[in-house]
Amino acid sequence: MITCDMAVSIDGYVAGPNQRADAPFGDGVGDSLHQWMFEAAEENAAEIAAITDAGAFVMGRNMFGPGRGEWDLDWTGWWGPEPPYHAPVFVLTHHERSPVQMEGGTTFHFVTGGIEEAVTRARAAAGERDVSIAGGAATVNQALAAGLVDELRLHVAPVLLGQGERLFDGVGRTELTPAGVRQTALVTHLRYTLSRTAG
Amino acid sequence: MITCDMAVSIDGYVAGPNQRADAPFGDGVGDSLHQWMFEAAEENAAEIAAITDAGAFVMGRNMFGPGRGEWDLDWTGWWGPEPPYHAPVFVLTHHERSPVQMEGGTTFHFVTGGIEEAVTRARAAAGERDVSIAGGAATVNQALAAGLVDELRLHVAPVLLGQGERLFDGVGRTELTPAGVRQTALVTHLRYTLSRTAG
């Protein structure tokens, strides 16, 4: 199964404008979208654990790091020496780079062939386990538009951001099936299943 | 208390493009946003009843009827001779019109002074009961931007529409408090309370 977890505002934003190295979620967001993970980790433990419970991950260039051009080879992601993935992570990019092996089982692989190739490689690496589309919004939107996602898990923070990077842009009309909901003080967890249309 | 119920797609649309008399919710929407009201009325009875459980209502010109210019005085709304409101309904408009009394207790009043005046008049008419901002999106967004809404009840249909009229446009950054959630097969009901910032 291919899953996707996204923290999102009620008005559908996953990040504010002007994402950059010192403000990876952009202006005006602060920790409003992720407060539930940091301040209420116990109450939301099941949903937090599920985010990284996959055999392989796919992520976009901007989620892995700032900048859009050639790689800064000293950059190994936002997550320190031991990223929370503990599995292969396939990073979409236009620039070739050798794999980067981190502590704790995470290896970043760089894929220049687009979302379908990244998902195919992630599936092969995951074996029987799930593949997770880790973000950001552009990568998730590509995967949704290509019909590659089986289960979408939205973590809706109780805030309207009003501007920024929007989930679902360009995905087009899609029917989903409600598959579960749980509300805590800082977040509402919504699960949906999708009928695969491609991939 | 001032409440607002809105049926909305997962990607935040309340109507498709090209709303008009023979397609009041626009192109490509069909009954996807309101299927839960018609096909699962029993399962969603509490939420449906709450929508019209107010002492007065405020609605926008486009929710009352098609057209943007002078009134067609034969037009008395989409709802037939006995609308489901059974209370005064204050319709925002740029064109004066005498009140229209319908069967069953609904009277349409036409307000040219904007959202604040409409809400003030609705409050006076409602007495101890709630005032409901009935829609459409532009009117709800004005009320939210003016800090006039105490409780927002979103009825999220499991569909991505991809285009149309979007809830929350222009509202700006707003903090809300989760106040309840319930999922049925065709809809997820989300309740939020807002801190009044004006009105």
Side-chain angles (χ1 to χ4, degrees):
Chain A
M1 176 167 84
I2 301 185
T3 67
C4 175
D5 283 85
M6 286 299 276
V8 63
S9 65
I10 299 174
D11 53 347
Y13 294 101
V14 300
N18 305 317
Q19 293 169 259
R20 58 195 184 277
D22 64 336
F25 289 105
D27 292 331
V29 176
D31 60 0
S32 61
L33 295 180
H34 306 91
Q35 200 178 2
W36 59 280
M37 302 180 73
F38 301 114
E39 294 182 20
E42 196 167 326
E43 195 182 5
N44 298 292
E47 288 83 1
I48 292 171
I51 294 171
T52 51
D53 183 18
F57 297 82
V58 172
M59 81 172 52
R61 170 69 171 91
N62 291 337
M63 182 163 172
F64 179 72
R68 292 175 177 275
E70 294 286 337
W71 287 107
D72 168 2
L73 297 181
D74 291 331
W75 182 267
T76 56
W78 303 101
W79 302 275
E82 186 175 342
Y85 300 106
H86 310 293
V89 178
F90 295 87
V91 180
L92 291 162
T93 174
H94 295 294
H95 299 278
E96 303 275 358
R97 180 174 173 182
S98 301
V100 175
Q101 190 170 345
M102 309 294 290
E103 295 170 25
T106 298
T107 300
F108 293 111
H109 300 271
F110 301 90
V111 180
T112 56
I115 184 75
E116 303 263 2
E117 181 188 322
V119 167
T120 299
R121 289 182 60 186
R123 272 193 183 148
E128 298 288 301
R129 298 185 67 197
D130 291 343
V131 168
S132 169
I133 311 293
T139 298
V140 170
N141 291 346
Q142 280 179 41
L144 287 168
L148 291 168
V149 177
D150 298 303
E151 182 167 298
L152 180 64
R153 304 167 187 161
L154 299 177
H155 309 284
V156 183
V159 61
L160 304 176
L161 290 180
Q163 57 177 341
E165 191 179 11
R166 207 190 282 272
L167 193 62
F168 301 127
D169 260 4
V171 172
R173 185 167 173 123
T174 309
E175 307 280 343
L176 299 89
T177 304
V181 65
R182 195 170 81 89
Q183 191 173 73
T184 68
L186 297 176
V187 66
T188 304
H189 306 287
L190 301 175
R191 284 195 303 120
Y192 291 98
T193 55
L194 289 91
S195 300
R196 194 83 68 86
T197 58
Chain B
M1 175 167 84
I2 301 185
T3 67
C4 175
D5 283 84
M6 286 300 276
V8 62
S9 66
I10 298 174
D11 52 348
Y13 294 101
V14 301
N18 305 317
Q19 293 169 259
R20 58 195 185 276
D22 64 336
F25 290 105
D27 292 331
V29 176
D31 60 0
S32 61
L33 295 180
H34 306 91
Q35 200 179 0
W36 58 279
M37 301 180 74
F38 301 114
E39 294 182 19
E42 196 168 328
E43 195 182 5
N44 299 293
E47 289 83 1
I48 292 170
I51 294 172
T52 52
D53 183 17
F57 297 82
V58 172
M59 82 172 50
R61 170 70 172 91
N62 291 337
M63 181 163 174
F64 180 72
R68 292 176 178 274
E70 294 287 337
W71 288 107
D72 168 2
L73 297 181
D74 291 333
W75 182 267
T76 57
W78 303 101
W79 303 275
E82 187 175 341
Y85 300 106
H86 310 294
V89 177
F90 295 87
V91 180
L92 292 162
T93 173
H94 295 294
H95 299 277
E96 303 275 358
R97 181 174 174 184
S98 301
V100 176
Q101 190 170 344
M102 309 294 289
E103 295 170 26
T106 299
T107 300
F108 294 111
H109 301 271
F110 301 89
V111 180
T112 56
I115 185 74
E116 304 261 3
E117 181 189 322
V119 167
T120 300
R121 290 182 59 185
R123 271 192 184 148
E128 299 287 302
R129 298 185 67 197
D130 291 345
V131 168
S132 169
I133 312 292
T139 298
V140 170
N141 291 346
Q142 280 179 42
L144 287 168
L148 292 168
V149 176
D150 298 302
E151 181 166 299
L152 180 64
R153 305 168 187 160
L154 299 177
H155 309 284
V156 183
V159 62
L160 304 176
L161 291 179
Q163 57 176 340
E165 192 180 10
R166 209 190 281 272
L167 193 62
F168 301 126
D169 261 2
V171 173
R173 185 169 173 123
T174 310
E175 308 281 343
L176 300 89
T177 303
V181 65
R182 197 171 79 88
Q183 191 172 73
T184 68
L186 296 177
V187 66
T188 304
H189 306 288
L190 301 174
R191 283 195 303 122
Y192 291 98
T193 55
L194 290 90
S195 299
R196 194 82 69 85
T197 59

